[in-house]
Amino acid sequence: MKGKQSIYVIFILIQSLVYGIGNPITKIAYQSVTPLWLLTIRFTMASAVLLLFCGKHIFSAAKKAGVRLWLPSALCCAGAYISCNISLSMTSATNVGFIMSLPVLFAPALSAVITKSRYELSHLPLQLLTIAGLFLLCCNGGVFSFGPGEALALLDALFLAGQLVFGEKAMREMDVLSVTSLQVLTTMAVSVIGALLFDDISVLPGIQPAAYLVAAYHAMICTIAAYLLQNTAVRHLSAPAVSMLQCTQPIMTAVIAAIMLNERLTGIGLIGAGIIVLCLVGDSLLSGRESTKRN
């Protein structure tokens, strides 16, 4: 990639780090709260902050752009968060981290359909090798069981790819703050509806302080800060490039999960982590050469 794009690469790496912490601590919060109520608390906090400081700007931008432009990315955001959090309550954080990185394959194809961008077949071998590395990293040396939790994580990966691609399209006409805020507000609305319809309201009085602290970390760091970083990066990098960089997230998740949840990495897992890093470097070099040729 070009030198001036390196700052946006760093943005995504920071996002991967805060998510790598966020995924394991979510399982700690589930000791006293259910997924939908945790999401409701998290996104209510985040929405309150965004509306307090820039509510007028958000609604003005939404009205000007039109709902068709921003709603697809916002709905994908809501679907991604709900499916991810429920899957974390059903399977290991490392398995979820693996499957969540599948947008590295989904995003380029979806981007070609939605934004009419060119699908570079030269990147496909590195993308497939990245998936192999993720498998080694997160699946205990190849022992992988696919249950309901993994199925929901796969759905999460599809939503994440849609969020990246539709978000890239929306930010051609809208600013980063507006798109991010509308994604957060939509996710809050869907989470509230889902919690009231499908969850048990009796769990609320029993929520422990630790769960509220996790929700606050998710709201301020994983939601507002991380999504501002991601959406800023998407304006300067392509959605496929961002999804490739986000493959560092399961590395962070696996390390933190090993420390906090005793989900230990095997030697094969460490090899998988090395493969991922090498593929990221290779993809960056390939993108740089292709950019130079086009210019």
Side-chain angles (χ1 to χ4, degrees):
M1 294 182 179
K2 296 180 180 179
K4 66 181 181 180
Q5 292 180 317
S6 61
I7 184 62
Y8 306 112
V9 172
I10 293 173
F11 284 179
I12 300 301
L13 296 180
I14 293 173
Q15 183 194 41
S16 291
L17 175 61
V18 300
Y19 280 178
I21 297 171
N23 287 337
I25 66 174
T26 296
K27 296 182 77 70
I28 295 174
Y30 287 160
Q31 294 173 8
S32 65
V33 67
T34 53
L36 287 174
W37 282 118
L38 179 63
L39 282 171
T40 296
I41 296 168
R42 167 185 180 173
F43 282 96
T44 298
M45 289 180 177
S47 297
V49 171
L50 290 169
L51 290 174
L52 178 64
F53 289 100
C54 47
K56 184 177 180 180
H57 171 76
I58 294 168
F59 290 118
S60 175
K63 183 178 179 180
K64 182 179 179 180
V67 69
R68 291 184 179 180
L69 183 61
W70 58 264
L71 187 59
S73 70
L75 289 175
C76 285
C77 179
Y81 273 113
I82 291 172
S83 54
C84 174
N85 278 263
I86 295 176
S87 68
L88 278 169
S89 70
M90 301 173 71
T91 188
S92 70
T94 48
N95 272 14
V96 174
F98 162 64
I99 302 173
M100 281 177 62
S101 297
L102 287 177
V104 70
L105 290 183
F106 299 153
L110 188 60
S111 183
V113 174
I114 301 300
T115 66
K116 308 303 180 183
S117 61
R118 180 180 177 182
Y119 182 76
E120 299 287 353
L121 288 175
S122 58
H123 290 260
L124 185 58
L126 284 172
Q127 292 166 350
L128 293 174
L129 188 57
T130 300
I131 298 301
L134 289 165
F135 186 88
L136 294 175
L137 172 68
C138 300
C139 299
N140 296 316
V143 180
F144 185 75
S145 59
F146 195 90
E150 286 79 13
L152 282 169
L154 181 60
L155 183 62
D156 173 48
L158 290 168
F159 278 127
L160 285 171
Q163 182 186 351
L164 284 172
V165 174
F166 286 116
E168 180 182 0
K169 183 178 181 181
M171 281 180 288
R172 292 174 182 174
E173 301 181 35
M174 299 177 68
D175 62 276
V176 170
L177 178 61
S178 297
V179 174
T180 301
S181 299
L182 290 166
Q183 289 173 344
V184 170
L185 289 167
T186 302
T187 303
M188 180 197 70
V190 174
S191 298
V192 170
I193 294 170
L196 291 173
L197 291 178
F198 304 111
D199 217 330
D200 185 1
I201 198 170
S202 66
V203 304
L204 295 179
I207 298 176
Q208 298 299 309
Y212 283 109
L213 290 175
V214 169
Y217 174 84
H218 281 161
M220 300 301 109
I221 307 301
C222 294
T223 303
I224 297 177
Y227 264 82
L228 284 172
L229 290 173
Q230 175 182 292
N231 287 334
T232 300
V234 167
R235 294 194 70 172
H236 300 274
L237 307 171
S238 67
V242 170
S243 66
M244 189 73 177
L245 289 165
Q246 287 176 331
C247 287
T248 56
Q249 180 184 322
I251 298 176
M252 309 293 187
T253 298
V255 171
I256 302 300
I259 296 171
M260 299 183 65
L261 305 176
N262 203 32
E263 294 181 6
R264 298 297 179 185
L265 279 175
T266 63
I268 294 296
L270 292 173
I271 293 173
I275 290 173
I276 293 168
V277 172
L278 290 175
C279 287
L280 291 173
V281 173
D283 187 75
S284 296
L285 293 174
L286 183 59
S287 296
R289 286 198 299 267
E290 291 172 348
S291 179
T292 301
K293 289 180 180 178
R294 286 194 296 267
N295 294 333

